[in-house]
């Protein structure tokens, strides 16, 4: 047990030895620190060290300086570490060196990169060389420190260091940095120090404690860098978590052999307990001899496969396999591991539950249930709706034998097509212009994060499955092909050259297959994914054509349907949409929009209805519309086979049915100039002028239209009732829910309800059919939500129209504001995500909660649902479950996502 130090009197405890934590303290110690503590407590070979907590980071960011007591606590824990190691930080004779690593609760590629070898200086480099018996190793460690420190702490453009390194290799006529000797590296150190002086205006710090303190503060500052905030917005990570800092005693994978004639037995690597791309069991990872940790993930040299380590150092390999088995058993999941071997001694530098592709997530969850490691409920919690949506994306159709120009590592699956771009700025710029792009780099680094988010896919010529590009792409669900060594990527000339002289210039179309690693020139056509074929019913899980992924999805969706409390319906307006919704697992229609039935040829009938000068003419038009509407509803009710169908009565702004005012004015003017007959157009123009609205979205629509245009809603109710009677007569069952839109006052609903009930009773008496119909309303106005208790006395169900409820609550016109200023709101952190994508819980969600509670208080049996597209958003589905709704409704394609998320919500928060 290492010696630990108490916090400074009256100061909060900010620092924790690895022995003081465990894996469940991620909020306090960050993911990296919590897992280092967990491995320490498991007795695994972890270099000693300590963690500065997220509390310290939050206090630092709030005050703009280190909180009182932090420096003293760091000093105490550093002294304890020095005592344990028997060396002092930066001692000229025998220096203790440490790494400084960021470590937030969630893994964040946008955070500060690790700084290794803190404590090296002009005074201690010779001592390190003497103790190690390896002068080259010492100078290599020193140049790495200056390069990392300059880039990450002093914010110097890394290209300056890369250019100096390339110049050194050219002068020696070698291809890699490992071929530079001690003298070469000593000269390179001088070049690096000159770069620091020129670019930062100060000398590289020689005091070891100053190096460490500056690195700690740089980690804190990196929490609010642009790329970190961008990643948090992308992944919906809260901005107030802060990051921990880990100070770890250095172990060296770039240390040469103990004697000149021995084989090098030092190196570094990254390993996975299962394949993060496919989910298959086995040995997966990369190893790089004579290297430090960042070399592997940076992709600066192509790595060896982990299996090749067995031939290089079987003792370390066997020990690594044992530890990987221990960690997977302990964490009960795929583990991502970083390790270093120092002259045959294996050290564990990090572990975490590994990021994985969507396909791997489903396969691993299913397999772990088979292995009796986790339960089906836990399996549901290991996957999510966004991953399922990724599996439903199309795949390449290779039947046309497209031109494959190269092959790399299948780092993150998917089929991505786009125009080739060679830097992050261009990727972002072109993407904002509507172009699909593929970001092509030799290797990526955290500065490329914005471009990676903007791109359809990422292609690199260096690096393996554990490189920065691969790890980040998998985390974001982006298609990625890495390590395509056949490609010569020239970022300055903005082109890549493939074998046989094939050249892809910037702007040329390229297609990459993250499942196979294949790279194609031009655009490759796509075909439906097997998972969509499964949901469509064209590929059974027991079919010989179904692969293990389809079977895993089927199992998990079966568990989901058994677990969830929410019903899932679909928004569907046609019989074809309704049939597809059922195939995808919908349990009814939550929104059938009747306005879509009045477009096309029927639009002229609506114009006639609006122009009608008396009741007789209006009734004539409605009589023509009635059979058309009835046939529409017969088709939909038949397709749903007795499942509930919620029909929303007409709810578009009236102007959508009328000709454009300017266009109609020109038409009338031209006719008058030519002396042509134009009486009908003139009458229509007068009507359009009369009905013209400055803000149609808040004008004559919804229930207001039904009250102002006599007979319109009654015609629709009659069509619904007669359709239900016709279906019943044919031996079917029709369960209808008639929804009155845009109600703001209970009196509006009462008038329409009473008229509708009269029609339903009349049709029931006339036909003798058992017409099962509820009458309710859509809650899409704040006033409706706040008077829900009154409205519930007249409504048998509520369906929350969260699209319009969001617009009216925020005062946003969605069509106008998303393009106008949403990007600025996202950039400034006012939104973490658009409120039209994920429900605004604090505002709109509060209205939903109030309406649900007060509505059910007035009518205990009130049915509650939601029919905005939020019904298919994973995060929003959890809210609707928690608030106690009966169902969610979304587009047919998102029905499986809603089914899965409804089950995950039930796992995390079971209903009584």
């Amino acid at each position: 047990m290492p010696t630990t130090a108490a916090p400074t009197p009256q100061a909060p405890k900010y620092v924790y030895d690895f022995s003081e934590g465990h894996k469940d303290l991620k909020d306090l110690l960050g993911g990296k620190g919590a897992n280092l503590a967990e491995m320490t407590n498991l007795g695994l070979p972890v270099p000693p060290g300590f963690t500065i907590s997220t509390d310290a980071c939050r206090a630092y960011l709030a005050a703009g300086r280190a909180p009182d007591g932090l420096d003293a606590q760091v000093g105490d824990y550093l002294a304890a570490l020095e005592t344990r190691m028997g060396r002092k930080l930066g001692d000229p004779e025998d220096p203790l060196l440490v790494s400084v690593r960021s470590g937030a609760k969630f893994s964040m590629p946008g955070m500060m990169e690790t700084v290794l070898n803190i404590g090296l200086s002009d005074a201690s480099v010779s001592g390190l060389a003497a103790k190690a018996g390896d002068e080259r190793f010492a100078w290599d460690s020193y140049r790495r420190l200056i390069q990392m420190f300059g880039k990450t702490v002093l914010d110097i453009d890394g290209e300056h260091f890369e250019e100096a390194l390339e110049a050194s290799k050219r002068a020696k006529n070698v291809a890699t940095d490992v071929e530079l000797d001690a003298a070469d590296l000593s000269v390179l150190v001088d070049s690096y120090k000159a770069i620091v002086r020129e670019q930062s205006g100060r000398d590289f710090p020689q005091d070891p404690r100053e190096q460490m303190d500056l690195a700690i503060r740089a980690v804190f500052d990196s929490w609010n860098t642009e790329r970190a905030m961008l990643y948090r917005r992308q992944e919906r990570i809260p901005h107030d978590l802060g990051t921990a800092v880990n100070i770890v005693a250095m172990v060296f994978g770039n240390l040469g052999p103990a004697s000149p004639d021995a084989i090098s037995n030092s190196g570094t690597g990254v390993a996975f307990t299962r394949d993060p791309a496919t989910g298959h069991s086995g040995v997966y990872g990369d190893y790089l001899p004579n290297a430090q940790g960042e070399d592997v993930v940076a992709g600066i040299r192509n790595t060896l496969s982990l299996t090749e380590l067995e031939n290089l150092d079987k003792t370390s390999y066997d020990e690594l396999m044992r530890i990987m088995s221990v960690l997977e058993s302990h964490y009960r999941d795929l583990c991502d591991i970083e390790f270093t071997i120092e002259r045959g001694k294996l050290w564990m530098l990090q572990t975490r539950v590994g990021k994985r592709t969507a396909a791997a997530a489903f396969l691993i969850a299913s397999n772990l249930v088979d292995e009796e490691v986790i339960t089906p409920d836990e399996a549901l919690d290991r996957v999510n709706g966004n991953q399922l949506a990724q599996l439903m994306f199309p795949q390449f159709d290779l039947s046309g034998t497209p031109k494959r120009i190269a092959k790399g590592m299948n780092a993150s699956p998917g089929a991505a097509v786009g125009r080739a771009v060679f830097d992050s700025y261009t990727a972002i710029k072109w993407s904002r212009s509507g172009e699909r792009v593929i970001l092509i780099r030799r290797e990526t680094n955290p500065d490329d994060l914005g471009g990676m988010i903007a791109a359809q896919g990422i292609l690199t010529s260096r690096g393996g499955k554990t490189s920065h590009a691969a790890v980040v792409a998998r985390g974001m669900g982006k298609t990625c092909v890495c390590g395509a060594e056949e490609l010569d990527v020239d970022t300055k000339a903005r082109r890549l050259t493939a074998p046989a002289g094939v050249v892809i210039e910037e702007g040329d179309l390229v297609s990459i297959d993250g499942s196979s690693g294949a790279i194609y020139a031009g655009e490759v056509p796509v075909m439906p994914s097997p998972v969509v074929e499964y949901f469509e019913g064209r590929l059974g899980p027991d079919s010989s054509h179904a692969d293990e992924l389809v079977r895993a999805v089927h199992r998990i969706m079966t568990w989901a349907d058994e677990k969830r409390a929410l019903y899932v319906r679909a928004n569907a307006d046609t019989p074809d949409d309704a049939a597809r919704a059922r195939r995808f697992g919908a349990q009814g229609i939550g929104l059938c929009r009747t306005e879509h039935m009045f477009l096309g040829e029927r639009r002229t009938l609506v114009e006639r209805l609006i122009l009608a000068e008396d009741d007789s003419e209006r009734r004539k038009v409605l009589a023509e519309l009635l059979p058309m509407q009835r046939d529409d509803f017969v088709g939909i009710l038949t397709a749903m086979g007795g499942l509930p169908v919620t029909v929303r009565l007409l709810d578009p702004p009236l102007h959508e049915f009328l000709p454009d005012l300017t266009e109609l004015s020109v038409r009338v003017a031209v006719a008058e100039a030519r002396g042509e007959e134009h009486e009908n157009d003139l009458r229509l123009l007068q009507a359009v002028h009369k009905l013209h609205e400055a803000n149609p979205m808040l004008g004559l629509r919804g229930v207001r239209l039904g009250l102002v245009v006599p007979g319109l809603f009654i015609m629709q109710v009659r069509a619904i009732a007669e359709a239900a009677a016709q279906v019943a007569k044919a031996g079917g069952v029709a369960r209808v829910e008639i929804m009155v839109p845009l109600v703001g006052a209970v009196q509006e609903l009462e008038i329409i309800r009473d008229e509708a009930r009269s029609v339903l009773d009349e049709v029931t008496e006339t036909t003798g059919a058992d017409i099962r119909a509820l009458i309710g309303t859509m809650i899409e106005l704040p006033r409706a939500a706040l008077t829900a208790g009154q409205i519930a006395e007249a409504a048998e169900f509520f369906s929350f129209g969260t699209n319009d409820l969001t617009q009216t609550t925020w005062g946003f016109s969605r069509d106008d504001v998303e393009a106008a200023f949403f990007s600025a709101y996202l950039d400034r952190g006012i939104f973490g995500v658009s409120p039209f994508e994920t429900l605004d819980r604090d505002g709109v969600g509060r209205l939903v909660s109030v309406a649900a509670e007060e509505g059910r208080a007035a009518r205990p049996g009130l049915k509650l649902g939601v029919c905005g597209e939020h019904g298919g958003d994973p995060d929003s589905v959890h809210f609707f479950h928690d608030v106690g709704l009966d169902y969610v409704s979304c587009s047919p394609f998102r029905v499986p996502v809603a089914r899965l998320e409804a089950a995950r919500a039930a796992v995390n928060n079971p209903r009584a």
Side-chain angles (χ1 to χ4, degrees), residues 182 304 565 780 809 820 834:
L304 305 176
E780 49 194 324
T809 301
S834 165

Side-chain angles (χ1 to χ4, degrees), residues 267-477:
T268 191
V270 177
F272 296 91
T273 58
R274 298 174 190 238
D275 189 338
T278 67
H280 294 150
S281 297
V283 178
Y284 298 91
D286 298 308
Y287 180 71
L288 198 56
N290 196 17
Q292 288 197 294
E294 296 303 295
D295 293 346
V296 177
V297 296
I300 60 175
R301 276 190 277 149
N302 285 332
T303 57
L304 305 176
S305 69
L306 195 59
T307 53
E308 294 179 77
L309 173 60
E310 184 174 18
N311 299 325
L312 296 174
D313 185 349
K314 181 166 173 49
T315 300
S316 296
Y317 176 83
D318 290 343
E319 175 68 357
L320 178 63
M321 293 300 104
R322 182 191 72 80
I323 290 173
M324 288 171 67
S325 177
V326 168
L327 288 172
E328 179 166 284
S329 296
H330 184 71
Y331 282 89
R332 300 164 62 244
D333 205 347
L334 159 70
C335 289
D336 173 356
I337 296 161
E338 292 181 22
F339 66 93
T340 283
I341 300 173
E342 181 184 83
R343 287 182 173 168
K345 168 65 175 175
L346 176 66
W347 292 98
M348 306 306 295
L349 304 184
Q350 180 180 347
T351 192
R352 59 188 173 188
V353 172
K355 292 183 178 180
R356 65 209 68 187
T357 65
F362 277 80
L363 282 169
I364 291 171
S366 177
N367 290 341
L368 288 175
V369 173
D370 288 338
E371 295 165 24
E372 299 184 346
V373 174
I374 63 174
T375 65
D377 278 7
E378 289 174 301
L380 288 169
D381 204 37
R382 298 282 179 91
V383 297
N384 61 57
N386 289 326
Q387 292 168 330
L388 181 60
Q390 290 173 31
L391 297 179
M392 297 169 71
F393 293 159
Q395 299 179 347
F396 284 139
D397 181 356
L398 304 179
S399 60
T401 60
K403 182 179 181 181
R404 195 182 85 177
I405 60 173
K407 194 171 190 292
M409 294 184 186
N410 53 331
S412 185
V417 180
R419 300 198 178 277
V421 296
F422 293 87
D423 68 88
S424 188
Y425 173 79
T426 305
I428 296 169
K429 180 181 176 182
W430 287 17
S431 175
R432 286 177 176 171
S433 299
E435 290 280 4
R436 297 174 301 163
V437 298
I438 302 294
L439 179 63
I440 302 173
R441 306 283 286 163
R442 284 191 288 269
E443 69 271 340
T444 64
N445 61 59
D447 291 332
D448 291 314
L449 184 63
M452 297 173 77
I453 291 172
Q456 300 294 308
I458 299 103
L459 170 62
T460 69
S461 60
R462 299 178 185 170
K465 287 188 177 182
T466 59
S467 65
H468 177 270
V471 171
V472 175
R474 279 196 297 272
M476 294 193 298

Side-chain angles (χ1 to χ4, degrees), residues 68-382:
D68 294 340
L70 176 61
D71 288 346
Q73 288 183 43
V74 169
D76 291 342
Y77 276 79
L78 175 60
L81 178 61
E82 289 173 330
T83 299
R84 183 176 184 191
M85 300 299 294
R87 301 196 300 276
K88 288 191 175 294
L89 184 71
D91 181 79
E93 303 298 324
D94 186 12
L96 169 67
L97 305 183
V98 299
S99 64
V100 176
R101 312 183 75 184
S102 64
K105 178 181 180 180
F106 301 103
S107 177
M108 290 178 51
M111 289 295 294
M112 194 188 90
E113 298 167 75
T114 298
V115 181
L116 304 177
N117 310 324
I118 291 283
L120 262 183
S121 64
D122 294 349
S124 60
V125 67
S126 297
L128 180 65
K131 281 293 181 181
D134 187 341
E135 188 178 8
R136 185 201 176 279
F137 152 73
W139 286 104
D140 182 48
S141 298
Y142 197 16
R143 71 93 182 171
R144 290 170 183 271
L145 168 62
I146 300 170
Q147 182 173 2
M148 293 179 188
F149 193 95
K151 182 180 177 184
T152 61
V153 178
L154 301 178
D155 202 27
I156 298 171
D157 188 341
E159 288 294 322
H160 295 294
F161 299 107
E162 290 294 336
E163 288 169 4
L165 177 59
E166 291 300 319
S168 182
K169 289 191 289 187
R170 284 195 300 271
K172 190 70 180 287
N173 195 27
V174 297
T176 64
D177 57 330
V178 296
E179 298 172 273
L180 299 174
D181 60 24
D184 301 322
L185 292 167
S186 175
V187 172
L188 187 59
V189 163
D190 289 336
S191 299
Y192 278 8
K193 287 195 288 188
I195 290 170
V196 169
R197 191 178 307 113
E198 292 165 7
Q199 296 298 319
S200 70
R202 63 159 296 168
D203 288 325
F204 176 76
Q206 294 294 313
D207 177 66
R209 180 62 195 268
E210 183 186 8
Q211 293 176 10
M212 190 172 79
D213 288 343
L214 287 173
I216 291 169
R217 284 154 179 72
V219 172
F220 289 159
D221 289 333
S222 73
W223 178 255
N224 283 332
T225 60
E226 183 177 348
R227 71 190 190 198
M229 290 190 289
L230 176 66
Y231 185 80
R232 290 200 295 273
R233 285 196 298 270
Q234 169 79 11
E235 298 299 315
R236 304 183 186 182
I237 296 172
H239 290 286
D240 58 355
L241 296 179
T243 181
V245 186
N246 299 287
I247 313 295
V248 189
M250 281 298 305
V251 291
F252 300 99
N254 61 331
L255 188 59
S259 59
D261 57 344
I263 298 173
S264 174
N265 57 353
S266 296
T268 191
V270 177
F272 296 91
T273 58
R274 298 174 190 238
D275 189 338
T278 67
H280 294 150
S281 297
V283 178
Y284 298 91
D286 298 308
Y287 180 71
L288 198 56
N290 196 17
Q292 288 197 294
E294 296 303 295
D295 293 346
V296 177
V297 296
I300 60 175
R301 276 190 277 149
N302 285 332
T303 57
L304 305 176
S305 69
L306 195 59
T307 53
E308 294 179 77
L309 173 60
E310 184 174 18
N311 299 325
L312 296 174
D313 185 349
K314 181 166 173 49
T315 300
S316 296
Y317 176 83
D318 290 343
E319 175 68 357
L320 178 63
M321 293 300 104
R322 182 191 72 80
I323 290 173
M324 288 171 67
S325 177
V326 168
L327 288 172
E328 179 166 284
S329 296
H330 184 71
Y331 282 89
R332 300 164 62 244
D333 205 347
L334 159 70
C335 289
D336 173 356
I337 296 161
E338 292 181 22
F339 66 93
T340 283
I341 300 173
E342 181 184 83
R343 287 182 173 168
K345 168 65 175 175
L346 176 66
W347 292 98
M348 306 306 295
L349 304 184
Q350 180 180 347
T351 192
R352 59 188 173 188
V353 172
K355 292 183 178 180
R356 65 209 68 187
T357 65
F362 277 80
L363 282 169
I364 291 171
S366 177
N367 290 341
L368 288 175
V369 173
D370 288 338
E371 295 165 24
E372 299 184 346
V373 174
I374 63 174
T375 65
D377 278 7
E378 289 174 301
L380 288 169
D381 204 37
R382 298 282 179 91

Side-chain angles (χ1 to χ4, degrees), residues 545-871:
H545 298 291
D547 60 16
E548 57 185 351
L549 175 59
V550 167
R551 289 191 287 273
V553 169
H554 171 71
R555 291 185 76 197
I556 289 174
M557 294 306 295
T558 301
W559 296 332
D561 289 337
E562 293 169 353
K563 186 69 181 180
R564 60 189 168 88
L566 280 172
Y567 286 82
V568 177
R569 300 190 191 181
N571 302 340
D573 309 326
T574 67
D576 287 344
D577 284 346
R580 188 181 200 198
R582 286 195 68 183
R583 293 195 297 271
F584 276 57
Q587 296 165 290
I589 291 178
L591 175 63
C592 175
R593 292 157 288 210
T594 55
E595 57 270 18
H596 293 180
M597 303 171 182
F598 286 85
L599 302 176
E601 295 178 357
R602 300 184 189 179
R603 190 173 186 141
T604 57
L605 291 172
V606 179
E607 290 180 6
R608 285 172 52 198
L609 185 65
I610 294 166
L611 293 174
E613 295 181 347
D614 54 45
D615 290 343
S616 174
E617 190 174 352
R618 186 178 297 110
R619 284 194 294 270
K620 183 178 178 182
V621 177
L622 290 171
E624 291 183 56
L625 284 169
L626 176 62
M628 299 177 185
Q629 281 270 271
R630 183 174 56 235
D631 290 345
D632 294 331
F633 296 132
V634 167
I636 292 170
L637 292 171
T638 301
M640 293 312 293
L643 294 174
V645 175
T646 303
V647 179
R648 182 176 72 185
L649 302 179
L650 203 60
D651 182 36
L654 195 58
H655 75 283
E656 292 185 6
F657 289 134
L658 301 174
D660 178 76
L661 179 60
T662 303
E663 178 185 324
L664 188 56
S665 298
V666 170
R667 204 159 75 205
V668 169
V670 169
E672 287 181 345
R674 293 175 176 173
E676 297 173 350
E677 177 67 33
H678 63 283
E679 182 179 348
N680 192 62
D681 281 347
L682 185 59
R683 289 175 61 216
L684 189 56
L685 178 60
Q686 291 170 344
V688 170
H689 269 297
K690 180 181 178 181
L691 296 170
H692 178 71
E693 296 173 319
N695 191 341
M697 294 302 294
L698 297 177
L700 185 56
R701 52 172 293 208
V703 67
R704 304 157 194 168
L705 188 63
L707 292 170
V708 169
V709 180
L712 178 58
F713 276 10
I714 297 308
M715 178 276 294
Q716 290 193 288
V717 172
R718 185 176 296 279
I720 293 168
E722 291 179 357
Q726 187 172 323
V727 170
K729 187 176 181 180
V733 176
R735 293 172 57 195
V736 182
E737 299 171 353
I738 298 171
M739 183 158 65
V740 181
L742 213 71
V743 165
V746 67
Q747 294 86 348
E748 294 172 310
L749 178 59
E750 287 172 340
I751 293 170
I752 300 298
R753 179 204 60 187
D754 291 346
E755 292 178 349
R757 279 284 167 221
S758 296
V759 173
L760 290 170
D761 291 344
E762 178 188 332
V763 174
T764 298
E765 185 177 347
T766 303
T767 63
D770 179 16
I771 300 174
R772 303 177 186 180
L774 301 178
I775 298 176
T777 187
M778 180 180 274
I779 304 293
E780 49 194 324
L781 297 174
R783 190 181 192 281
L786 295 173
T787 60
Q790 298 174 24
I791 294 175
E793 294 177 1
E796 293 174 288
F797 69 89
F798 286 170
S799 180
F800 293 95
T802 52
N803 295 343
D804 270 357
L805 190 57
T806 299
Q807 291 193 102
T808 54
T809 301
W810 278 93
F812 288 156
S813 170
R814 178 176 183 171
D815 295 336
D816 298 325
V817 300
E818 284 192 311
F821 62 80
F822 266 31
S823 60
Y825 266 44
L826 290 166
D827 290 341
R828 290 173 177 264
I830 298 169
F831 295 152
V833 64
S834 165
F836 292 110
E837 293 178 29
T838 293
L839 192 79
D840 159 35
R841 294 190 179 207
D842 294 337
V844 179
R846 175 69 180 140
L847 290 172
V848 172
S849 298
V850 167
E853 181 179 347
E854 296 187 2
R856 280 195 169 145
R859 184 187 288 263
L862 186 69
K863 182 183 290 188
L864 300 175
V866 60
C867 61
E869 273 305 299
H870 293 105

